[in-house]
Amino acid sequence: MKKLGCAGALVLALVVAVPVLFVVFAATREPATPTMETVGKVAGIPQRMLAAYQSAAAQLPRQVPKCKGMRWPILAGIAKIESNHAAGRTIKDNGDITPHILGPLLDGSGVGGNTTAFPEGNNRAEGPFQFMPATWTGSGRDGNGDGDKNPHNADDAALGAAVYLCGNGRNLTDRTQLKAAIFQYNHSDAYVADVLSWIDRYSQLGNGTIRIGAHATGKARTVINTALGEMGTPYSWGGGGPGGPTIGTCCSPSGKSGAGIRGYDCSGLTTYAFAQVGVSLPRTAAAQSQRGKRIPASRGVGALSPGDLVFFAYDPSSDATIYHVGIYLGDGQMVNAARPGMKVRAEAIWDHSYAGGARLL
């Protein structure tokens, strides 16, 4: 039987004769579980930029396996100084930033504090992390899985910065090596001091920082850790199951095929996360909404607890129209496989189509 993706609930609701496919508990894959420092809200950082920093830190071990200690505050500290977190720009859902952030022409005039001339070709820094084109050529990465490496994309730039800071495998938990990494980014002691001061601020709990899942315990914590461990895995329509990511099927409502892509769609991710605590889920988002204790949208996001499923629907008053599901992390945040072309990520609960939640644990 072909697996149904997130929006397969619509077909399922119309063709009632089709049996619902249930999955069987088979926790066979060990996730690369991050620590519980994934962040929900930090004063002064746009949510979309914060998501990019989080995602980059989660993906970094796959890019530079020998690097230790890469955390979102390190990337936030750099981006704070380089672009004030893309302040004044529009950050699209896919991470693209408009208008582009361009540094001053490096013609030796001293503008922007730069006195070295780069007369050849493109001689200005680009994007929220202010990469010079030559540096980007070596360190640029595709952070959002769209097949492009763009210094003007939040996800790409954050992952590229993480790779550049890690070098061949620095230990960034060592303050000396962290300083060396920042100095490599900009050969200025004053710059290093400024960046470190912001890293330290962002690293301090209770200083505008909310740790997602901090109140989750037991099985809820396992579910959250499992899902966060999949951050950076590509979206694949029809992909994912109790054993982890799988090759998807064709096709999403937008016409995007998951065939050839190993990853998750929204309900595939939740199926995998809950399988780790012995909870078997139906394959579609709409069917999953019928499990556990339903939490109506009318009660608001405040009624949710970390580890709850969270749903979105074309018509929030009808469970039959539910097209998306994520896992609630706390503090208005969720982890989810959002849509084709994206990767598993943590982000704020969408302010549209919210259809409540379900408590399974």
Side-chain angles (χ1 to χ4, degrees):
M1 179 180 177
K2 178 184 285 190
K3 292 196 296 181
L4 298 171
C6 297
L10 294 178
V11 177
L12 192 63
L14 295 174
V15 188
V16 295
V18 177
V20 178
L21 176 64
F22 286 83
V23 297
V24 180
F25 171 60
T28 59
R29 185 169 181 266
E30 289 294 330
T33 305
T35 60
M36 269 294 188
E37 66 178 356
T38 303
V39 175
K41 298 177 182 177
V42 177
I45 303 180
Q47 285 290 312
R48 186 61 187 84
M49 292 301 295
L50 184 58
Y53 307 153
Q54 296 167 357
S55 179
Q59 294 183 64
L60 194 278
R62 304 176 190 177
Q63 299 288 334
V64 189
K66 293 182 180 180
C67 185
K68 297 180 180 179
M70 175 54 68
R71 302 174 294 119
W72 75 264
I74 295 173
L75 299 172
I78 296 286
K80 170 65 180 178
I81 302 302
E82 296 294 345
S83 68
N84 195 19
H85 308 299
R89 264 60 174 187
T90 297
I91 310 165
K92 298 180 180 179
D93 286 346
N94 70 348
D96 285 348
I97 297 172
T98 55
H100 289 174
I101 303 170
L102 299 173
L105 287 171
L106 301 184
D107 53 8
S109 65
V111 175
N114 296 289
T115 58
T116 302
F118 292 80
E120 312 89 16
N122 187 341
N123 60 350
R124 61 171 68 195
E126 301 177 312
F129 283 85
Q130 289 291 276
F131 274 99
M132 289 299 294
T135 305
W136 181 254
T137 298
S139 298
R141 293 295 188 274
D142 176 13
N144 64 356
D146 65 357
D148 188 26
K149 299 177 183 179
N150 180 5
H152 299 287
N153 177 277
D155 298 313
D156 295 358
L159 185 55
V163 169
Y164 185 71
L165 289 164
C166 274
N168 293 324
R170 286 191 173 99
N171 178 4
L172 300 178
T173 64
D174 182 323
R175 190 78 166 185
T176 299
Q177 293 190 48
L178 176 59
K179 288 180 179 179
I182 300 169
F183 188 82
Q184 173 185 295
Y185 209 94
N186 188 324
H187 293 178
S188 163
D189 290 333
Y191 177 87
V192 172
D194 284 345
V195 170
L196 283 174
S197 71
W198 283 103
I199 292 174
D200 291 341
R201 293 186 205 184
Y202 293 140
S203 298
Q204 292 175 2
L205 296 177
N207 187 25
T209 302
I210 299 174
R211 295 180 71 194
I212 283 178
H215 303 298
T217 59
K219 291 183 177 181
R221 189 178 184 89
T222 299
V223 166
I224 289 174
N225 260 339
T226 298
L228 290 177
E230 297 305 301
M231 282 174 55
T233 302
Y235 181 99
S236 175
W237 175 261
T246 64
I247 301 296
T249 61
C250 189
C251 283
S252 73
S254 63
K256 302 293 185 180
S257 176
I261 301 175
R262 184 176 181 82
Y264 297 97
D265 65 11
C266 66
S267 52
L269 177 65
T270 54
T271 294
Y272 173 56
F274 277 88
Q276 308 316 299
V277 294
V279 175
S280 298
L281 289 178
R283 187 57 184 82
T284 68
Q288 290 183 5
S289 72
Q290 303 307 303
R291 302 296 296 273
K293 179 182 179 182
R294 194 73 166 89
I295 303 170
S298 60
R299 294 183 59 190
V301 174
L304 299 173
S305 294
D308 289 345
L309 292 175
V310 57
F311 302 104
F312 301 86
Y314 295 110
D315 176 2
S317 67
S318 171
D319 284 355
T321 69
I322 286 175
Y323 66 87
H324 187 67
V325 60
I327 298 172
Y328 188 60
L329 300 172
D331 300 303
Q333 310 294 302
M334 65 178 176
V335 57
N336 71 131
R339 62 182 67 87
M342 307 294 286
K343 295 183 178 182
V344 175
R345 68 184 188 186
E347 61 182 320
I349 284 183
W350 302 344
D351 59 4
H352 61 279
S353 306
Y354 175 62
R359 185 160 299 150
L360 281 63
L361 302 175

